[in-house]
Amino acid sequence: MTDDLWPPEEVLDPAIPDEVFLALADPYRRFAVYYLRDQGPASVEDLATLLSGWLVADETEAATQTDRENVLGSLRAVHLPKLEAATLVTYDRDDGVVSPANSLTQSVDTLLAWTQTFEGAETRTESGVDNNSHT
Amino acid sequence: MGLIETIANVERQRKTLTVYAPSERPDLAGQFRTRNVTVEYEPIPPVGQGFVVVSDAAGFEGAVSLRVLERLLEPPIRRPGGTPPDDGFRNVFELLDDTVFASLDRRQLLATSREIEDRAWRVGHGELHVGFQSLSAMRAQLRIYRYFGEETDVDVHLYGRDDWDPPDLPGVTVHRETADEIGRVWFLAFDGGETDNENALLAEERSPDTYAGFWTYDAGIVEGVLDHLRATYGREADA
């Protein structure tokens, strides 16, 4: 398993723009990209709900309406512009819909698959969720 | 607002629990089958932890981690030991407590009633209003309410149809009523005294021994119930 910690060669591809690394340095932006790549376009409102539950709520604290408002505000002001600059998403400001980039280079694809393995995954099963990270 | 109308109002405020997880969770949907909650499912990629979003007609109310919800649902939905261990946990309870509109049987109603009485007992002051439907139903609880009168400053009001003549208890006011809602609704409402422990249980008997109702910590709802009881039955005290 330790081999997996070592980045695949494509991740070190100098052709990956700095904007991509900057964009993926933040968990809110990474998780937004994971979701959009898996499930397709989503409204910015739905992304705010999603990221509040996924990243704010934890073992002891619920995510509140205020938390969600803050996530929505920073999505609009900070996260979506950075993801756009990295051409990881497109954001239609008129209808408020965020879409995943049509095609990512193989290197960026591999980079995202690699970062995803470090996020504390729960795995898909037929009957429900197996909790790998359950302590 | 009357007791029956309050129950119907809460019932209308149906909530949606949206489960975000990599695969569907029919087990969670099953847990809420008897409650007035719609359970929906949204797929997410298998990254991080699953979570549950609580929403109502007005939109997002809050979100909790799936793990916390699973722990809460270890049967039955009930706070352990009466006191939430910390503020974070309390937030989670509050988010979910409003969703506890349920079909209830007598056993569940009794357990919840004991919980409210226990809380009033520990606070030791304030107002506790209890509706037994029929006064004869209070026989089993007579000893507890005698203690309330003797040992605490809680102002106790008991309500019911006049089918039994309870003994005089100090600090306890018995309201013998004929109103329809008194005969149909099992209720307890505690104002929390000087603390924020206000809570109420209202359950309407819709067919013999089958109740539908709710248990809430919502201060607005509890105050509304107490205002209604004082305004409607206050003057008939000590009848």
Side-chain angles (χ1 to χ4, degrees), chain A residues 31 34-35 38-39 46 48-55 57-65 68 116 119-129 131 133-135, chain B residues 20-27 41-51 53 59-68 70-71 86-92 95:
Chain A
F31 276 69
Y34 299 148
Y35 180 79
D38 198 66
Q39 296 294 322
D46 286 348
T49 298
L50 175 90
L51 294 171
S52 302
W54 220 353
L55 293 173
D58 64 18
E59 301 276 318
T60 53
E61 290 287 343
T64 63
Q65 288 173 326
R68 186 186 169 279
Q116 199 163 321
E119 311 280 11
E122 292 177 304
T123 51
R124 280 198 167 102
T125 66
E126 271 169 35
S127 59
V129 170
N131 249 316
S133 55
H134 193 72
T135 46
Chain B
Y20 289 75
S23 20
E24 271 199 81
R25 296 294 303 267
D27 55 324
Y41 166 68
E42 287 286 340
I44 55 171
V47 183
Q49 291 188 5
F51 57 95
V53 169
F60 181 92
E61 286 226 317
V64 298
S65 115
L66 200 46
R67 190 99 29 94
V68 172
E70 284 163 346
R71 206 184 300 149
D86 60 50
D87 282 348
F89 234 70
R90 190 183 167 93
N91 288 341
V92 175
L95 192 62

Side-chain angles (χ1 to χ4, degrees), chain B residues 135 138-139 141-143 145-146 158 164-174 176:
Chain B
L135 285 178
M138 72 173 277
R139 264 183 288 205
Q141 289 298 96
L142 204 55
R143 202 163 56 101
Y145 287 106
R146 189 192 305 278
L158 307 178
W164 182 62
D165 201 19
D168 281 342
L169 303 174
V172 176
T173 308
V174 175
R176 297 167 177 82

